[in-house]
Amino acid sequence: MSDERRVVSGTGVTPRAGVGEVVRYDPSADLPDPPAGGVDAGAERERFAAGREAARAELERERDRVAEAIGEEEAAVFDAHVQFVEDPQIESAVHEAIDGGLPAPNAVHEAFADHVERFEGMDGRMAERADDLRDVRDRLVRLLTDGDRVDLSSLPEGAVVVAERLTPSDTAQLDPERVAGFATATGGRTSHAAIFARSLALPAVVGVGDALADVPDGTEVLVDGDAGELVVNPTDEERERAATEDLADIRPDPVSTADGREIEVAANVGRPAEVEPAAERGADGIGLYRTEFLFLDRESPPDEDEQYEAYVEALDAFPDGRVVVRTLDVGGDKQVPYLDLPAEENPFLGERGIRRSLGPDADLFEAQLRALLRAAADGEGDLSVMFPLVATAEELEAALAKVDEVAAALDEKGVAHARPELGVMIETPSAVFVADELAERVDFLSIGTNDLAQYVMAAARENDRVADLHDPLHPGVLRAIRRTVGAGHEGGAWVGMCGEMAGDPDVTELLVGLGLDELSMSAVTVPDVKANVEATNAEAARELADAACAAAARDEVRELLGDPASRRGGQSE
Amino acid sequence: MTEERTVTVVPEDGLHARPAALFVEEANEHDAEVEVGPADGDLVSAGSMIAVTGLGVRGGDEVRIVADGVDATAALDALEAILTTPEDELEG
């Protein structure tokens, strides 16, 4: 083993670098030799059935854990694995192999063999099914042989996991606080491991190929998820740079542009488990606290105290910051079992957001406001409350009247409460046109770019045929943002943005130039956006925004912004 | 009673991870033998995840679903709904 420096290349999947010692990981279970005298077929069939049950239970537990830690979308892969475990073709192939004299684990291995090979031979997404099958097969074999798994959740501090491949369950066990990164021989940007790495902000390189086999256990390596390189035995200089760069990423304090304009950089939060990581990644506060998690996936609405506790917890996580809670935003696309939401021809143009809160869900709205006003008094940080999908000043007036009503009732009962900052989400073209009226009545406006782009461009986000139109860089959307910011400031309200656009590091300068006071995004991109704010000159940014708003077409805007790939330093997507 | 219909698949990535899992689960829930395949090709068992994902069906493809059993209509309705719902709107 030489300690010479060398570089092996693969595909980088996160804009992060990390240094650590290689821990090789091989999850494949050893198969016992089949007994010479054949097997008791009945007993082996029962053993297989029990192993399958155990696998299903394990998959369901992992599914719930991943849904909580990373997200529903990533957890869905475990549903697919459950179906593979229960596949009738596999079952009959296993039974056949058992009848042919094999013990259950060997029979499982054999039953999967042809299918794995067949999927491996196909291209793209199909090859990923081969990974799924191997994952399911190894899980079954392990459970049938009582084999132990290397526990990836308790690796030594600073470990770099090196493996042929990492399954979704493997990757989900990695603790981003301890692990320095991982490298795999197989996989591409869209593989499960890559998606998980991005969710966990882990340095990772995938698709390194055979060269990975020559990287011995215990070697020091630098995983550069940006350049897509694994540096074996990095120089002291490289090591230091990787370590300090990542540390410098986290800016725990509020940041200003180079010429001194302070911009609040906050995180969007969809469930309580995301609050702490947001603080750790240096968010100044929470710019969008979605409350739907409290209401979805259950049979009855949450009570006031349960909500109160969730809000206080978020406020306590940001003692010097602001937490913007959005009141319940359901209807149309989001179903809630106990609300009996009507089927509508155009759900996105139907009864949703504040329209339901002022109509059929008035009781829920009142309970939520009570919980919020109480939390405003008891939590440490500053609470702001905003109303979704407001289209008219009348709706806002009605919502504000409800706040007054709830406050008076709490007063009467002698319950401690405080008046939070109040604001409106700007998502509809109408709200843009009456932004001045709205701003006069509230403390802040927050632009939801996903829905705003959808309504301004009249293009549904889910519809691939018009996906191209659903881009906030179209001058139509940019001018709506500019108009909102101007009207907000004139009315004395601060103006933020909490859509995906706010978290795109490529457009930070443009957004600063458009005059936004606050940007809120997924916690992962907070450090990048904070760094970009510090590198921006507010005056130059304003000129960029002027030019972008004057552009006739999106391509002109893109040209003004420069080539995204080069601006982002190679990080694509 | 045998029924069949032809459906254009909406989820962009076709019958992969999540839509496929829901599809297979639903196929197994009804009192009917269900088969699925390309509009002009051989059919496979809709109750087998390996068989269904092995079809390599993508968004925009036309698939034929054939159901045989007392529950055939309900099975086809439910399966058609899964095939025509964009992936990010699928529940479950």
Side-chain angles (χ1 to χ4, degrees):
Chain A
M1 170 166 90
S2 129
D3 49 8
E4 237 170 76
R5 175 187 183 277
R6 65 197 169 89
V7 178
V8 283
S9 297
T11 305
V13 295
T14 42
R16 307 241 166 271
V19 181
E21 274 184 22
V22 169
V23 175
R24 296 201 72 95
Y25 172 65
D26 178 10
S28 61
D30 290 330
L31 277 180
D33 288 331
V39 296
D40 173 350
E44 291 303 316
R45 279 184 183 222
E46 271 173 38
R47 187 176 164 203
F48 169 61
R52 205 161 57 158
E53 257 326 291
R56 192 171 55 158
E58 204 176 75
L59 281 164
E60 278 165 4
R61 277 198 307 276
E62 281 175 18
R63 185 203 188 287
D64 292 345
R65 208 166 46 79
V66 169
E68 170 74 17
I70 300 176
E72 278 295 329
E73 211 175 307
E74 288 77 14
V77 63
F78 294 99
D79 294 331
H81 284 203
V82 168
Q83 294 302 336
F84 280 123
V85 164
E86 299 191 333
D87 196 288
Q89 288 192 10
I90 291 289
E91 183 182 32
S92 57
V94 169
H95 285 173
E96 207 174 296
I98 286 174
D99 294 342
L102 286 180
N106 307 62
V108 165
H109 209 271
E110 186 166 309
F112 275 93
D114 288 346
H115 298 296
V116 171
E117 206 174 302
R118 190 163 52 86
F119 279 106
E120 261 174 352
M122 300 190 226
D123 54 309
R125 297 288 303 256
M126 298 305 287
E128 285 171 23
R129 296 291 85 71
D131 286 346
D132 287 332
L133 283 181
R134 266 189 295 259
D135 194 1
V136 169
R137 175 196 67 192
D138 291 345
R139 185 187 298 274
L140 277 169
V141 169
R142 172 173 53 79
L143 288 166
L144 288 167
T145 53
D146 301 321
D148 286 333
R149 208 163 22 170
V150 175
D151 187 359
L152 285 175
S153 60
S154 57
L155 292 166
E157 191 90 19
V160 171
V161 178
V162 169
E164 173 70 18
R165 65 177 56 81
L166 289 174
T167 67
S169 33
D170 293 336
T171 323
Q173 286 182 68
L174 299 175
D175 176 358
E177 295 299 312
R178 300 177 67 86
V179 175
F182 69 78
T184 57
T186 63
R189 279 196 64 81
T190 58
S191 60
H192 297 308
I195 292 164
F196 279 44
R198 278 195 288 278
S199 306
L200 299 169
L202 264 183
V205 178
V206 301
V208 176
D210 294 341
L212 204 58
D214 305 329
V215 182
D217 223 16
T219 332
E220 181 149 279
V221 292
L222 185 163
V223 184
D224 187 338
D226 209 354
E229 286 175 347
L230 187 71
V231 184
V232 185
N233 297 310
T235 63
D236 287 348
E237 201 180 302
E238 282 175 320
R239 234 190 327 230
E240 215 164 282
R241 206 173 48 221
T244 51
E245 261 176 17
D246 277 3
L247 281 179
D249 271 352
I250 311 282
R251 292 162 173 76
D253 299 319
V255 292
S256 314
T257 60
D259 48 347
R261 218 185 110 210
E262 196 167 301
I263 307 283
E264 190 176 330
V265 180
N268 295 344
V269 158
R271 38 178 204 282
E274 292 172 2
V275 171
E276 212 41 57
E280 283 165 9
R281 299 211 73 74
D284 298 330
I286 297 175
L288 169 61
Y289 186 98
R290 302 183 176 97
T291 54
E292 288 74 62
F293 74 88
L294 286 161
F295 296 85
L296 299 174
D297 293 330
R298 56 192 294 163
E299 296 306 316
S300 59
D303 69 19
E304 186 186 318
D305 287 339
E306 189 180 341
Q307 292 191 53
Y308 162 84
E309 277 161 31
Y311 304 146
V312 168
E313 194 186 318
L315 287 164
D316 287 351
F318 292 94
D320 306 314
R322 167 157 46 203
V323 173
V324 182
V325 176
R326 179 178 70 188
T327 60
L328 185 59
D329 184 16
V330 294
D333 57 332
K334 289 175 215 142
Q335 277 299 324
V336 181
Y338 50 86
L339 286 186
D340 192 27
L341 300 171
E344 294 188 274
E345 182 134 352
N346 290 306
F348 284 106
L349 304 179
E351 196 177 42
R352 56 178 297 211
I354 196 72
R355 299 171 186 178
R356 282 199 67 89
S357 292
L358 296 174
D361 298 340
D363 291 349
L364 281 184
F365 187 50
E366 250 174 60
Q368 184 166 36
L369 289 177
R370 272 197 305 273
L372 283 165
L373 264 55
R374 286 171 52 206
D378 298 343
E380 286 198 52
D382 295 326
L383 179 69
S384 303
V385 172
M386 70 176 170
F387 307 117
L389 207 79
V390 169
T392 69
E394 293 94 312
E395 285 169 335
L396 176 57
E397 299 259 352
L400 295 174
K402 199 54 107 174
V403 173
D404 291 338
E405 206 178 287
V406 166
L410 288 171
D411 258 340
E412 211 165 282
K413 284 195 201 147
V415 179
H417 66 279
R419 192 180 175 86
E421 248 192 340
L422 296 168
V424 171
M425 226 169 141
I426 303 292
E427 298 163 281
T428 63
S430 157
V432 172
F433 290 120
V434 299
D436 49 349
E437 302 289 344
L438 302 175
E440 275 172 23
R441 292 165 170 81
V442 289
D443 304 297
F444 69 97
L445 310 176
S446 184
I447 302 171
T449 47
N450 299 345
D451 274 338
L452 183 62
Q454 160 162 291
Y455 291 127
V456 165
M457 305 305 295
R461 242 190 294 172
E462 292 72 21
N463 189 340
D464 292 339
R465 294 168 211 265
V466 294
D468 195 47
L469 282 169
H470 195 276
D471 180 342
L473 287 180
H474 282 287
V477 184
L478 291 183
R479 291 176 202 176
I481 294 170
R482 153 154 292 193
R483 191 183 173 110
T484 303
V485 174
H489 287 168
E490 221 155 276
W494 61 267
V495 184
M497 174 182 284
C498 57
E500 265 164 50
M501 187 185 198
D504 180 350
D506 286 343
V507 299
T508 307
E509 186 182 4
L510 174 64
L511 298 180
V512 169
L514 284 167
L516 288 150
D517 304 293
E518 179 240 35
L519 301 172
S520 187
M521 63 212 64
S522 127
V524 180
T525 53
V526 164
D528 292 336
V529 171
K530 277 194 157 183
N532 287 353
V533 167
E534 287 187 325
T536 296
N537 176 294
E539 194 46 42
R542 204 176 52 79
E543 282 167 25
L544 172 69
D546 286 346
C549 284
R554 182 195 36 190
D555 288 350
E556 278 178 45
V557 176
R558 286 206 180 279
E559 216 162 282
L560 284 165
L561 291 175
D563 172 30
S566 65
R567 283 172 73 94
R568 222 182 305 189
Q571 176 205 353
S572 51
E573 254 188 350
Chain B
M1 167 173 87
T2 304
E3 276 191 60
E4 71 166 86
R5 63 185 77 158
T6 302
V7 177
T8 304
V9 176
V10 168
E12 196 183 347
D13 288 324
L15 279 175
H16 287 280
R18 194 165 180 221
L22 287 172
F23 184 87
V24 173
E25 196 183 344
E26 195 65 52
N28 284 322
E29 244 166 48
H30 291 272
D31 191 3
E33 281 296 314
V34 189
E35 292 191 307
V36 62
D40 52 0
D42 293 339
L43 301 179
V44 299
S45 165
S48 162
M49 185 71 174
I50 286 183
V52 168
T53 52
L55 290 170
V57 170
R58 293 178 187 268
D61 288 358
E62 288 208 322
V63 297
R64 195 156 69 96
I65 338 173
V66 181
D68 180 28
V70 289
D71 222 5
T73 313
L76 290 181
D77 287 345
L79 294 173
E80 178 174 352
I82 291 171
L83 294 179
T84 53
T85 305
E87 182 160 357
D88 57 2
E89 285 176 27
L90 282 174
E91 290 180 31

